[in-house]
Amino acid sequence: MAFDWSFVQRYAPFFVNGTLMTIFISVFGILLAIAVGLICAGIEIARIPVARQIVRVYIELSRNTPLLVQLYFLYFGLPKLGVVWSAQTCAIVGLGFLGGSYMAEAMRGGLESVPNVQRETAYVLGLTPLQSITRVVLPQAISTAVPGLVANVIFLFKESSVVSAIALADVMYMAKDLIGMYYSTYESLFMLIVAYLVILLPISIFGTWLERRFDYARR
Amino acid sequence: MTEQTQPNAVNSEAIAAFETSGPSAVSDCKGFEVKHLVKQYANADKPVLDDISFKVEHGTVLVVLGPSGSGKSTLLRTLAGLEPIQGGTISINEKVIDEGKPGTEKAGRSNRSSELRTRIGMVFQSYDLFPNKTVLGNITMAPVLVQKRDKAEVEAEALKLLERVGLADRKNAWPHELSGGQRQRVAICRALILHPEVLLLDEITAALDPEMVREVLDVVLELAKAGQTMLIVTHEMQFARAIADHVILLDGGHIVEESHDAHAFFAHPQTERAQQFLRTFEFE
Amino acid sequence: MHGAEILLQPGVFPRLLQGLWVTVWIAGVSVGVSIPVGLLVGWLMTLKNPVVRAIMRVYLDFIRIMPQLALLFLAYYGFARWFDWNLDATGACVLVFILWGGAELGDLVRGALQSIPKAQYESSYVLGLSPWQTFSRVILPQAVRRLLPASVNLATRIVKTTSLAVLLGVVEVIKVGQQIIDANRFQFPTGTLWIYGAIFFMYFIVCWPLSIVARRLEKRWSHD
């Protein structure tokens, strides 16, 4: 069977909607992940007792279990405890739970990569602790953390494809649906690939630009 | 641009002298003094620095020698306030700026004020320029932020300092674009612009390629001629001999020999330990 | 809370473990085959030939930018039609994981090979070692040290991604869990929570030791 362009034209709007859903879920999931990551990295750097141990346990659990199982637990399991969330909420919370640990590790890695002599120099020059952090430590930490953070953003956009498993109508779900209904394998897979390229290529290019922008050793 | 905008009359002396290359007057009460300093780390059975006392007269250069592990670097770090001291005092012009307190073995840094910290400059062995700032940004940050000086005035002085060390054309370069020797010269400018009463140099040429050592040491020699008070830890014996007004040899956390006649010290060391130490630099 | 008893029903735990075995088997075979594929891909990536380079570039970039689930769909639905190749769901999973693992590992191999200083090759040459001796005795041991921690991490990622096999209909641990939930719907209405909780920890128990090993290796070898 040949490639059917009219099918693509007819069903392209479905993929546009699916793409918007993927972007919506991913963006909010990533924002949540960044917030969780900031809090966790802060707790680890400040060495707050007890909270620090909890953060460690969370990071290990989050990094060593698949998103699909996390989502099934949230979507099918939690209602049995009386916690009923919509598929969208589950998807965003799931991405935030998964991504939070990755973001935390990237941020902590950035902060720890700043050599001690930088803090010491800031001290000897008379900078206050706040000035030392905002003017010396953070700019360098961000420069080291940016590549990791960008990789995490791309990773989470890709992982968001899994939310189709809890009946959220993202791009993945659209493709599966159309293949199932019309046996339109070529056309659906083609649109699936195009949709992900449209979403991820700009992010990937922007990420590379951002990395260069923050790389003091190259700009 | 003239120097009358410089705010601190006492401190600006060294810089003014640096720029005119003339020696400055030495007065008795001025200088940098350490009395009975003790540095003890937690979980260590004996102190790293035990009862160290010396005075660096204003406008003179003290060279601290010693084998590795003798406590030289730790001494400089305590003087800069990077490590709290457990006994003794550190004073500038007879004013105590740090007093040893037992029970601070685990503490991170001394609790010196920002203002006090600017009065002691330090250059480290490893390149410590801020990679996120240009050469000019590195030099002007602290005077503007800490001393609240006028940005234009600070920049003008920074340019003058850069010119002195032969790097005026690199003012907008990033640290990674500079050679090791150039970075250390910028680090010296960054310390000098605060007009410190004393400048601490911790093996600043140890990480450099041999051909870059000279360009950095020349700057330091010129500073000494201009009357900048300095305390230098170095392994360059020729340089030490040329620059020192006053030498101490540190070993095992103690001063084993002290001399106010550097030439005599290098020619005829008094103690056996000093003779043995100096022999390790000879090849016959 | 007595729903937890579902886990103690006869046959439930053994069945879940059987499902877990399928998961581990798919991941294990994929990782095992990925290693030689990755070494080959890594070597190809270091070649100067522009055609080979371009092909490897497109291969790596495509694999990297596509979600794994999309790749699984491509293999499962697409290959069957394009090549008339009747790949079953398990086969599609293994194939995708090998292509994915091979690409990622290949990039690691390339990085490791290129990070070895030229002086290592030159001193081997001066010492009279043959090219093969240089590679096997000098270069490879150093490359492996740079390679291994990231490879173990990749294995953890492959194990986690194996969970997606259920979406193609492979009967692995999640599918078995769903069957158990369905069979006990009336007897244990809260069974869902416990079964998915149990699967969550089963994955954790498989992946966590791998993460620890990767971290240890990284710490031990990062100071060389």
Side-chain angles (χ1 to χ4, degrees), chain C residues 19-187:
Chain C
L20 187 66
W21 172 245
V22 175
T23 299
V24 171
W25 185 86
I26 294 178
V29 170
S30 307
V31 172
V33 183
S34 290
I35 291 170
V37 172
L39 286 171
L40 179 71
V41 169
W43 173 69
L44 286 174
M45 282 176 175
T46 58
L47 295 184
K48 301 262 177 335
N49 186 315
V51 180
V52 176
R53 277 179 90 109
I55 292 172
M56 292 334 262
R57 190 77 249 164
V58 171
Y59 163 52
L60 181 67
D61 283 352
F62 182 77
I63 294 271
R64 278 211 169 145
I65 210 160
M66 279 293 137
Q68 274 86 47
L69 189 52
L71 293 175
L72 284 172
F73 270 46
L74 282 176
Y76 187 54
Y77 297 109
F79 282 13
R81 303 246 349 238
W82 285 321
F83 309 122
D84 208 14
W85 183 12
N86 238 337
L87 204 56
D88 70 350
T90 310
C93 285
V94 172
L95 177 69
V96 165
F97 294 155
I98 289 170
L99 287 177
W100 171 45
E104 294 278 6
L105 202 62
D107 199 39
L108 292 172
V109 170
R110 180 198 55 78
L113 286 178
Q114 287 176 348
S115 72
I116 289 166
K118 222 170 129 199
Q120 294 289 322
Y121 291 93
E122 288 173 349
S123 40
S124 309
Y125 176 84
V126 173
L127 288 172
L129 268 59
S130 72
W132 171 247
Q133 286 168 330
T134 305
F135 180 75
S136 62
R137 304 294 177 91
V138 181
I139 306 305
L140 199 60
Q142 295 182 56
V144 165
R145 287 180 159 227
R146 288 163 208 233
L147 206 60
L148 213 53
S151 309
V152 178
N153 266 330
L154 181 65
T156 320
R157 282 167 67 200
I158 290 181
V159 172
K160 286 190 291 176
T161 313
T162 315
S163 63
L164 300 181
V166 70
L167 301 177
L168 298 189
V170 177
V171 184
E172 41 68 87
V173 65
I174 301 173
K175 190 77 203 168
V176 170
Q178 288 170 344
Q179 290 168 350
I180 294 171
I181 291 166
D182 282 341
N184 296 282
R185 176 136 293 164
F186 299 106
Q187 203 185 346

Side-chain angles (χ1 to χ4, degrees), chain A residues 6 9 11 44 47 68 74 106 134 137 152 173 175 178 194 197:
Chain A
S6 67
Q9 280 172 354
Y11 289 98
E44 286 204 279
R47 297 175 196 276
L68 183 65
L74 290 173
T134 57
V137 177
N152 289 345
Y173 186 87
L178 291 179
V194 170
L197 289 180

